[in-house]
Amino acid sequence: MPDFHPEHDRLVVRPIGEPVADADTRTGEVVAVGPGRPLESGKPHPVDVKVGDRIVFATFSGTAIEVEGETYLEVPEDEVLSLSAE
């Protein structure tokens, strides 16, 4: 797997399954987490999810990234709807 280093409060997510046309959400596994959004003090505000978490996010959230033939999504932390119970 590629070595991702997302910036700020961004997550790199491996989508689970294909998007469904009428579905509002998707599930994915977090494979990389940025250090957090910078505060006025310059220190980062830690991200609440960690590598390995399964998350639920809106179907059209994030930006697709293709690396070594596999598609990942870069998703801002504030677009995470919930942690998945799957």
Side-chain angles (χ1 to χ4, degrees), residues 5 7 9-12 16 20 22 26 31 34-35 37 40-41 45 50-51 56 61 63 67-68 74-75 77 83:
H5 299 283
E7 294 289 317
D9 64 342
R10 303 289 183 169
L11 314 171
V12 178
I16 297 172
V20 177
D22 5 348
R26 290 185 74 183
V31 297
R37 176 181 38 85
E40 285 184 24
S41 66
H45 180 272
K50 61 187 182 307
V51 172
V56 176
S61 288
T63 303
V67 179
E68 298 175 3
E74 183 183 51
V75 179
E77 181 187 26
L83 291 176

Side-chain angles (χ1 to χ4, degrees), residues 13-81:
V13 177
R14 178 185 299 118
I16 297 172
E18 294 297 318
V20 177
D22 5 348
D24 293 333
T25 61
R26 290 185 74 183
T27 303
E29 180 182 359
V30 177
V31 297
V33 176
R37 176 181 38 85
L39 301 172
E40 285 184 24
S41 66
K43 293 186 178 194
H45 180 272
V47 177
D48 291 330
V49 298
K50 61 187 182 307
V51 172
D53 282 349
R54 287 187 178 211
I55 60 169
V56 176
F57 53 95
T59 300
F60 298 105
S61 288
T63 303
I65 305 167
E66 189 169 329
V67 179
E68 298 175 3
E70 189 165 356
T71 300
Y72 300 89
L73 295 170
E74 183 183 51
V75 179
E77 181 187 26
D78 64 355
E79 292 184 15
V80 173
L81 301 175

